[in-house]
Amino acid sequence: MDYKKVNFTLLILVLVLSFFLICIILKALFFGNDKFEWGSFTDWISSLSTFLTLIVAWKAYKAAPQWIKEKQKEEGFNHVKTLMSEYDQIVSTIKELYYDILSIKKSDQKFNVVIERINKEMYRTLDLNYKLESCSRWDITYPQEVQTAISRLTKYYNHAIMIITFKGIVTAEEPSLINDELSELKRLIEIDVQYFNKPLHEIFKFQQL
């Protein structure tokens, strides 16, 4: 909380209330006194109101750039939260599909379903890469480990597509090699997950206010 702004607002409020209290007292004291000109007095009240309005407008003008920065930081933080939530969902699907990718045969009834899911997840990883790049809109920076981890998801599904596409076509040695590469990528992704197991502000650097 910005205590300086709160204190300033309270000060203005106290001054305004004090002024009106004085007005009430004066009215009570001089009510019915022909020598006291209430017309001029109301002019002073109008002038003071205008002056206070100008002060409020000036404070709003001065606070606008800070408000914009705070809003941008908030939007940037929400963007990163969404990005990492999608990352977690993709990793969860990787764990779910892993054994299907390695063991499924073309004759299996769910073969086409698995292919559709792999293709869908591939596009999700590409979209995640685009969202990571767009962090620059909010002046958000991140270490190379983040870029590597996000790109690894796309690489994983590239290998998954190769395995599914060439099942039953290539020689026995080739699928074994690709399967080993897929398993190694899965192992590295699990290490990446541990890297992300920390507060967001320790990974991403947000705009300074």
Side-chain angles (χ1 to χ4, degrees), residues 73-137:
K73 184 174 182 179
E74 179 184 348
E75 291 176 354
F77 187 80
N78 290 335
H79 177 77
V80 171
K81 280 176 58 180
T82 301
L83 186 150
M84 292 309 304
S85 176
E86 292 182 13
Y87 174 87
D88 292 340
Q89 292 172 17
I90 292 173
V91 170
S92 178
T93 306
I94 282 175
K95 295 176 181 179
E96 179 187 347
L97 290 176
Y98 174 68
Y99 291 105
D100 281 339
I101 294 169
L102 294 181
S103 61
I104 199 167
K105 295 179 173 54
K106 284 191 173 181
S107 57
D108 291 341
Q109 290 184 349
K110 65 176 184 178
F111 183 80
N112 290 331
V113 175
V114 171
I115 289 179
E116 285 183 15
R117 292 194 66 187
I118 290 173
N119 287 330
K120 178 182 177 181
E121 292 303 306
M122 167 65 84
Y123 285 115
R124 288 186 70 188
T125 66
L126 294 174
D127 183 62
L128 199 64
N129 274 281
Y130 296 144
K131 287 181 178 177
L132 181 64
E133 292 175 2
S134 69
C135 284
S136 59
R137 297 176 185 173

Side-chain angles (χ1 to χ4, degrees), residues 57-76:
W58 179 78
K59 290 293 293 183
Y61 171 78
K62 293 290 289 183
Q66 182 69 14
W67 181 85
I68 292 173
K69 287 182 179 180
E70 291 175 355
K71 192 67 176 176
Q72 286 179 335
K73 184 174 182 179
E74 179 184 348
E75 291 176 354

Side-chain angles (χ1 to χ4, degrees), residues 10-28:
L10 290 174
L11 177 61
I12 293 295
L13 183 61
V14 169
L15 290 175
V16 172
L17 291 176
S18 299
F19 178 78
F20 281 108
L21 179 60
I22 292 172
C23 291
I24 294 172
I25 294 172
L26 288 174
K27 185 172 183 180

Side-chain angles (χ1 to χ4, degrees), residues 137-153:
R137 297 176 185 173
W138 295 276
D139 197 23
I140 299 172
T141 58
Y142 46 84
Q144 180 60 41
E145 287 86 348
V146 176
Q147 178 68 67
T148 301
I150 301 297
S151 298
R152 202 181 328 266
L153 300 177

Side-chain angles (χ1 to χ4, degrees), residues 106 111 115 118-119 158-170:
K106 284 191 173 181
F111 183 80
I115 289 179
I118 290 173
N119 287 330
N158 272 326
H159 276 71
I161 289 173
M162 286 196 308
I163 291 172
I164 292 294
T165 301
F166 293 105
K167 271 187 178 291
I169 299 177
V170 294

